[in-house]
């Protein structure tokens, strides 16, 4: 008679923390290729302004926010005061407050240690996949999923930053590393465009981002985010009101 415990289980149970962790990893893997060029640029830029490899790695580990890292590094490279660089990074990262507010109903009951760890790992990419997963409400281990997604972003970012700090100066200018960055965010945006409020918010924020791009200190980014939020809320409220009043335009049986 065969021993049922003799053969090891190949895959974790579908409702186990390990399965949720693996699902989080899998959700971010397609985006990692877009992160590597971003990290190479950040590492190389940090070394170019004279803070060295150790400074570049420390900067990346502590801040862990690509857009604000590059903005702060650029300002420091122009001999701007440290306070200006810090404030610029904070302004760019204001969108994280909106992400956190959106995640709060789903993670508010997590222990403090998990919430602090989740806050550190919060990125545009981790948020994009996590909020869709949390809204489904089908994952029995949401923290494991979030941890898998967050670490799948954190590890390649740190490694690519180190790589950029070590060999960034040898990368030819003809290789368009920066081109991968917008492609990565487009890949994140597409799965979220599932209804009219989301599409309207994306169009509004994109338009404001283009128009406000010349503003100093990257102020166009928070303005675009605010425009997207307001537009999405307004469109959602109008859709709800129209449905409540039986607007024929929103009636599924109307031609």
């Amino acid at each position: 008679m065969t021993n049922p415990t003799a053969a090891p289980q190949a895959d974790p149970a579908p409702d186990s923390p390990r399965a949720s962790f693996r699902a989080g990893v899998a959700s971010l893997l397609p985006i990692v290729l877009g992160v590597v060029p971003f990290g190479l640029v950040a590492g190389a830029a940090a070394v170019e302004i004279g803070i060295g490899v150790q400074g570049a790695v420390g900067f990346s580990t502590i801040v862990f926010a690509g857009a604000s890292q590059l903005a702060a590094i650029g300002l420091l490279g122009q001999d701007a005061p440290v306070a200006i660089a810090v404030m610029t990074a904070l302004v760019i990262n204001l969108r994280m407050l909106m992400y956190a507010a959106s995640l709060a109903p789903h993670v508010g009951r997590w222990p403090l240690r998990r919430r602090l760890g989740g806050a550190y790992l919060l990125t545009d990419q981790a948020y994009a996949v996590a909020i869709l997963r949390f809204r489904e409400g089908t994952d029995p281990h949401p923290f494991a999923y979030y941890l898998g997604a967050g670490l799948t972003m954190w590890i390649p970012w740190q490694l690519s930053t180190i790589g950029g700090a070590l060999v960034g100066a040898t990368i030819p200018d003809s290789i368009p590393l920066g081109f991968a960055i917008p492609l990565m965010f487009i890949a994140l945006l597409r799965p979220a465009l599932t209804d009219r409020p989301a599409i309207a918010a994306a169009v509004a924020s994109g338009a404001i981002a283009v128009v406000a791009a010349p503003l100093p200190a990257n102020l166009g980014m928070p303005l675009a985010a605010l425009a997207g939020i307001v537009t999405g809320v307004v469109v959602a409220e109008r859709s709800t009101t129209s449905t409540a009043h039986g607007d024929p335009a929103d009636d599924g049986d109307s031609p």
Side-chain angles (χ1 to χ4, degrees):
M1 183 174 63
T2 59
N3 185 356
T5 62
Q9 185 176 0
D11 296 314
D15 59 348
S16 68
R18 182 177 297 181
S20 294
F21 182 89
R22 289 187 177 183
V25 172
S27 66
L28 257 292
L29 280 179
I31 308 171
V32 168
L33 289 179
V35 175
V36 173
F38 207 166
L40 291 174
V41 171
V47 172
E48 285 180 2
I49 67 171
I51 66 175
V53 175
Q54 291 183 347
V57 175
F59 200 104
S60 182
T61 303
I62 295 172
V63 179
F64 185 43
S68 62
Q69 281 182 232
L70 290 174
I73 289 171
L75 289 171
L76 293 174
Q78 299 172 9
D79 296 324
V82 174
I84 297 298
V86 172
M87 288 302 300
T88 300
L90 289 175
V91 169
I92 294 174
N93 281 339
L94 283 176
R95 68 191 189 283
M96 297 299 168
L97 292 177
M98 296 183 289
Y99 294 168
S102 176
L103 290 171
H106 307 283
V107 306
R109 295 185 178 181
W110 289 0
L112 178 60
R113 183 179 302 177
R114 289 188 173 187
R115 281 181 281 145
L116 290 175
Y120 174 70
L121 292 175
L122 181 60
T123 59
D124 300 285
Q125 297 84 358
Y127 169 78
V129 299
I131 191 63
L132 294 176
R133 184 83 167 191
F134 292 169
R135 285 173 178 171
E136 291 175 356
T138 57
D139 197 317
H141 303 283
F143 176 74
Y145 177 89
Y146 183 90
L147 184 63
L151 288 178
T152 304
M153 182 58 54
W154 186 87
I155 293 173
W157 175 257
Q158 304 304 331
L159 293 177
S160 58
T161 300
I162 294 172
L166 292 174
V167 304
T170 66
I171 299 176
D173 293 336
S174 59
I175 299 179
L177 293 177
F179 184 70
I181 298 172
L183 294 180
M184 174 184 64
F185 284 101
I186 291 173
L188 287 173
L189 177 64
R190 179 60 188 89
L193 301 181
T194 57
D195 52 28
R196 284 193 296 175
I199 295 173
V203 172
S205 60
I208 296 300
V210 172
V211 172
L215 293 179
N218 286 302
L219 289 175
M221 185 177 294
L223 289 177
L226 181 61
I229 293 173
V230 172
T231 303
V233 170
V234 170
V235 173
E237 288 184 350
R238 288 184 176 179
S239 298
T240 302
T241 302
S242 298
T243 302
H245 288 281
D247 191 336
D250 292 317
D251 190 347
D253 296 330
S254 62

